[in-house]
Amino acid sequence: MIKSGSSFLREITRLTVQDLGLLEKSKVSCCNVSLSQCHAVVEIGRAAEMSLNDLAQVLNLDKSTMSRVVNTLVENEYVDRLIDQADRRYIRISLTEKGKHLYQSIENNMNQYFEDIFQKIPEHKQKEVTENLELIMNILRNKQD
Amino acid sequence: MIKSGSSFLREITRLTVQDLGLLEKSKVSCCNVSLSQCHAVVEIGRAAEMSLNDLAQVLNLDKSTMSRVVNTLVENEYVDRLIDQADRRYIRISLTEKGKHLYQSIENNMNQYFEDIFQKIPEHKQKEVTENLELIMNILRNKQD
DNA sequence: AATGATTAGTTGCAATTAGAAACTGTTTTG
DNA sequence: CAAAACAGTTTCTAATTGCAACTAATCATT
């Protein structure tokens, strides 16, 4: 296998996904939420407020599945579901206080994970690495248009 | 939010995971294999041969679930399952020719995805980015001891 | 303004997928 | 040689999922 930058990028993704899978599973088991629910909470938290379709799209789930996941989250008081008064076909999904706490706790775990990695980069290289990572991030963002 | 290198790394992982989820779903639908089966094929292909427990561990699945996934893959002739003659409690899971083809096709998709990203990095920066990515990859690998 | 098409979300249904626990067969240990 | 440990399978049951049919709201066209 050619050891190119792209293969390193792939391996980085592979390893992080695997690590985060474990991390998420521990979160899931300690908070009595399923993995889908956990992902949903993160996405809602990031967007502050979103519709069901938005959520289904980012999570790659069928809208019926999404509807039920949200339903469970409402029942467990992690999210609020309100009808959009401007267009009453839509629902506005947002986190409750309880949901925000869960979100913050997940965020803290995630940030800690990535911060730990970053801190292992020799200090004199951190600036350069940051610039390069930003470059890659922007390429990825531009892909999604 | 502080725009540090760690947050870029996190965002890169986020975006790639999302893209690859879509990529995998298309693969899954065209090859009549489930997502778990798809992941299993990739891991078996990477390791060439592994036990059920090994596989369950990398994929974060229960061994009973893993057993069934492997079973389906054997039925669909993607993998061979042989009893290890040195210790007959173990099974040796490996790809059939058909499985290798599927694996190669998944690999090609993945490599293409990452290669496309990498090619968008200005040529004069590619060497530097590669070095930095390798650094991060090694940090991640050392985490898993 | 009426009605037909579109859109957002929910629900019924069937199939898949999951884990826990009990079980089988093998190897290791004392 | 018995018992503990281990790898994998099977049984049972619960959760998760997607598709299709449905409801309700809005938009578009006349």
Side-chain angles (χ1 to χ4, degrees):
Chain A
M1 198 224 270
I2 303 153
K3 287 295 166 199
S4 69
S6 73
S7 75
F8 294 147
L9 191 53
R10 185 180 164 188
E11 185 67 3
I12 288 168
T13 306
R14 225 185 84 79
L15 291 167
T16 11
V17 167
Q18 200 171 326
D19 279 1
L20 292 176
L22 289 168
L23 214 153
E24 274 175 343
K25 287 222 172 176
S26 71
K27 175 60 60 185
V28 160
S29 55
C30 80
C31 297
N32 283 329
V33 291
S34 77
L35 208 60
S36 292
Q37 287 169 0
C38 186
H39 286 153
V41 166
V42 171
E43 292 302 328
I44 299 164
R46 283 173 58 90
E49 201 182 59
M50 52 198 320
S51 75
L52 188 72
N53 262 340
D54 293 342
L55 199 49
Q57 195 169 6
V58 281
L59 297 180
N60 274 314
L61 289 173
D62 190 83
K63 61 181 182 163
S64 66
T65 307
M66 202 65 256
S67 174
R68 272 180 289 243
V69 169
V70 169
N71 211 41
T72 313
L73 287 172
V74 171
E75 276 167 19
N76 293 109
E77 299 179 328
Y78 288 111
V79 314
D80 283 327
R81 173 178 43 193
L82 296 171
I83 293 170
D84 184 334
Q85 291 305 323
D87 185 338
R88 297 173 33 164
R89 288 172 301 184
Y90 289 79
I91 58 174
R92 292 271 138 213
I93 306 166
S94 58
L95 296 180
T96 59
E97 282 309 309
K98 187 178 169 190
K100 282 177 191 164
H101 276 112
L102 177 55
Y103 172 57
Q104 265 314 317
S105 134
I106 297 168
E107 283 294 288
N108 290 344
N109 275 345
M110 296 282 258
N111 289 338
Q112 191 60 56
Y113 172 81
F114 287 104
E115 194 56 42
D116 285 350
I117 293 165
F118 198 72
Q119 285 313 317
K120 290 195 181 119
I121 295 167
E123 212 164 326
H124 69 280
K125 284 188 183 168
Q126 290 186 359
K127 186 166 175 293
E128 181 184 301
V129 171
T130 300
E131 285 164 10
N132 287 334
L133 289 176
E134 187 172 16
L135 182 60
I136 295 172
M137 182 182 70
N138 286 328
I139 291 169
L140 282 164
R141 282 195 173 150
N142 288 335
K143 268 175 73 84
Q144 317 195 311
D145 44 13
Chain B
M1 196 224 272
I2 302 153
K3 287 295 163 198
S4 69
S6 75
S7 75
F8 294 147
L9 192 53
R10 187 180 163 188
E11 185 66 3
I12 287 167
T13 305
R14 223 185 86 79
L15 291 167
T16 348
V17 167
Q18 202 171 326
D19 278 2
L20 291 177
L22 289 168
L23 214 151
E24 275 175 342
K25 286 219 174 175
S26 71
K27 175 61 61 186
V28 159
S29 55
C30 81
C31 296
N32 284 328
V33 291
S34 77
L35 210 60
S36 292
Q37 288 168 0
C38 187
H39 286 152
V41 165
V42 171
E43 291 304 327
I44 299 164
R46 283 175 57 91
E49 203 182 56
M50 53 198 319
S51 76
L52 188 75
N53 262 340
D54 294 342
L55 199 49
Q57 197 169 4
V58 281
L59 297 180
N60 274 314
L61 289 174
D62 189 84
K63 60 179 183 165
S64 65
T65 307
M66 203 64 256
S67 175
R68 272 180 296 240
V69 170
V70 169
N71 211 41
T72 314
L73 287 172
V74 171
E75 275 167 18
N76 294 109
E77 301 181 325
Y78 288 112
V79 316
D80 283 327
R81 173 177 43 192
L82 295 172
I83 292 170
D84 185 333
Q85 291 305 323
D87 184 337
R88 297 173 34 159
R89 287 173 301 186
Y90 288 79
I91 58 173
R92 291 273 139 210
I93 306 166
S94 58
L95 296 180
T96 59
E97 281 309 309
K98 187 178 168 189
K100 282 177 191 164
H101 276 112
L102 176 56
Y103 172 56
Q104 265 315 316
S105 135
I106 297 168
E107 283 295 289
N108 289 344
N109 274 346
M110 297 280 258
N111 290 338
Q112 191 61 56
Y113 173 81
F114 286 103
E115 193 56 40
D116 284 351
I117 294 165
F118 198 72
Q119 284 314 317
K120 290 196 181 118
I121 296 168
E123 213 166 323
H124 69 281
K125 283 188 183 169
Q126 291 187 358
K127 185 166 174 294
E128 179 186 302
V129 171
T130 300
E131 284 165 10
N132 287 332
L133 289 176
E134 186 172 16
L135 181 61
I136 294 172
M137 182 182 70
N138 286 328
I139 290 169
L140 282 165
R141 283 197 172 148
N142 288 335
K143 269 175 72 83
Q144 315 195 312
D145 42 14

